[in-house]
Amino acid sequence: MVPGFFGGEVFQNHFEPGVYVCAKCGYELFSSRSKYAHSSPWPAFTETIHADSVTKRPEKNRPEALKVSCGKCGNGLGHEFLNDGPKRGQSRF
């Protein structure tokens, strides 16, 4: 298992097989299989492990982004950027 997901450059170039979990509660969020290289300083994923891994809510004044939190404990994880994934129509977490 990969250490807790804290965000930031610590995991940007980390591509070892494993599961990224919430730093607060340990809930499974993302698999290394959905991780890809992106120009942002944050790790980038195309999908979550479980349908309830994260909760999403609209971001004020940013129609292209949703605020993302852990689906179990509500810990803030960042954003989902709509239509900014590696393939057309995919989002980036």
Side-chain angles (χ1 to χ4, degrees):
M1 194 166 279
V2 175
F5 178 75
F6 292 97
E9 69 283 347
V10 173
F11 292 108
Q12 178 188 21
N13 296 313
H14 180 89
F15 288 94
E16 296 297 318
V19 174
Y20 291 77
V21 301
C22 175
K24 186 173 180 182
C25 74
Y27 192 54
E28 295 177 327
L29 302 172
F30 305 101
S31 167
S32 59
R33 290 187 303 268
S34 72
K35 189 172 189 303
Y36 68 99
H38 189 271
S39 61
S40 80
W42 309 103
F45 303 89
T46 55
E47 61 188 11
T48 60
I49 288 184
H50 308 291
D52 67 347
S53 288
V54 301
T55 58
K56 306 172 192 179
R57 68 180 191 277
E59 174 73 287
K60 291 181 181 179
N61 301 318
R62 291 182 79 181
E64 78 287 354
L66 301 172
K67 289 288 280 181
V68 177
S69 301
C70 174
K72 184 174 182 182
C73 73
N75 186 36
L77 301 173
H79 295 86
E80 175 182 358
F81 296 96
L82 307 174
N83 298 310
D84 190 39
K87 294 181 183 173
R88 186 181 189 115
Q90 278 187 323
S91 290
R92 170 176 57 95
F93 290 87

